[in-house]
Amino acid sequence: AITRLKPRPCELREADHKYVWTPTGEEMAISVTGVTSYGKPPYDGPQEAAWRGTHVHRAMQAIAEGQSLPDHISPEGINTLEWFEQIGQMDFWEHSTTISCEYTMVHRRKSLGGQLDLLCSYKSPKSGERKTMLVDLKTKGASWKGPSSADIASYKAQAGGYLTLLDSGDEAHGGCWVDTCMTLVVTPRIVKWLPPMTPQSCLNAWFDSWDRYALGGELNPF
């Protein structure tokens, strides 16, 4: 049987997007995406794209949890119907068993928080082989042509951050063995799986990102 991961006593506080260790209320200094984008210019794209991304994540969570989909109009009034349709018609779901979804984790010693999109057990319809997959969802507009090499490097480091939290975050209890890390890109026209990434390559990319972040903090103590 495939065991679900028990929730950990932490939350992502929506109001200010802070990760909090709920037993004490301790706030984490940074998130996984904060580390991987450290030193890069902040996102300056349209606010609608961020709202849309959040809402499409809600749709994926509903599908992964076997719940009914939320209204395709987001709370902010963004119409995400085409993205919902793309993600809903993937045959992936027939072969996937959810281990955890929108899973929140913290590492207090590192003052780091993160929330993985989906951890699942996937049974290949061709070979019958079962793999544990860490899936990160990215939503893009209709004009998306493919990831840049900088995108790929960032996705790899982000997956490595989640692997680290899974394995050694607070209340990890040995975490969960992951066979492969995948990025799923959803646009209003297509769903596209980017090439699989090995956990080791993701961890290496994450450690590089963490070193850059930690060094930046030491160089700028104020």
Side-chain angles (χ1 to χ4, degrees), residues 93-112:
W93 300 113
E94 295 161 34
H95 309 290
S96 162
T97 307
T98 300
I99 297 170
S100 65
C101 191
E102 297 297 326
Y103 191 66
T104 311
M105 305 170 285
V106 300
H107 192 309
R108 283 179 293 163
R109 197 166 50 76
K110 288 191 160 90
S111 201
L112 172 71

Side-chain angles (χ1 to χ4, degrees), residues 6 33 63 80 82 92 94 106 129 132 151 164 188 213:
K6 278 216 286 282
T33 47
I63 295 167
T80 60
E82 292 173 294
F92 167 80
E94 295 161 34
V106 300
E129 184 190 4
T132 301
D151 290 338
T164 301
Y213 161 69

Side-chain angles (χ1 to χ4, degrees), residues 18-203:
K18 282 271 191 198
Y19 287 92
V20 180
W21 176 250
T22 42
T24 60
E26 183 183 342
E27 296 175 6
M28 302 304 116
I30 198 155
S31 67
V32 166
T33 47
V35 172
T36 58
S37 59
Y38 184 75
K40 296 174 190 164
Y43 173 78
D44 61 356
Q47 181 65 61
E48 288 82 41
W51 289 334
R52 181 185 68 214
T54 301
H55 203 55
V56 176
H57 274 78
R58 291 185 189 114
M60 181 170 95
Q61 183 175 15
I63 295 167
E65 305 275 11
Q67 310 286 337
S68 50
L69 284 172
D71 187 341
H72 62 266
I73 305 291
S74 82
E76 302 83 12
I78 311 297
N79 187 344
T80 60
L81 179 62
E82 292 173 294
W83 287 265
F84 275 29
E85 285 174 342
Q86 289 295 337
I87 200 168
Q89 62 200 15
M90 293 166 56
D91 63 0
F92 167 80
W93 300 113
E94 295 161 34
H95 309 290
S96 162
T97 307
T98 300
I99 297 170
S100 65
C101 191
E102 297 297 326
Y103 191 66
T104 311
M105 305 170 285
V106 300
H107 192 309
R108 283 179 293 163
R109 197 166 50 76
K110 288 191 160 90
S111 201
L112 172 71
Q115 190 178 62
L116 63 80
D117 293 344
L118 177 67
L119 191 65
C120 67
S121 176
Y122 180 76
K123 188 176 181 182
S124 162
K126 287 199 186 84
S127 67
E129 184 190 4
R130 217 174 240 298
K131 277 188 171 172
T132 301
M133 284 168 51
L134 182 108
V135 179
D136 199 45
L137 172 68
K138 304 291 179 196
T139 53
K140 301 289 181 186
S143 61
W144 183 79
K145 295 285 185 283
S148 66
S149 53
D151 290 338
I152 296 281
S154 161
Y155 300 164
K156 197 173 267 193
Q158 200 179 338
Y162 299 138
L163 289 172
T164 301
L165 286 170
L166 258 182
D167 188 56
S168 55
D170 289 274
E171 297 288 323
H173 303 307
C176 177
W177 178 265
V178 174
D179 297 301
T180 187
C181 299
M182 302 293 292
T183 306
L184 173 65
V185 180
V186 182
T187 83
R189 308 274 176 271
I190 58 163
V191 285
K192 182 174 175 63
W193 290 99
L194 301 186
M197 305 177 290
T198 66
Q200 192 57 56
S201 69
C202 295
L203 286 168

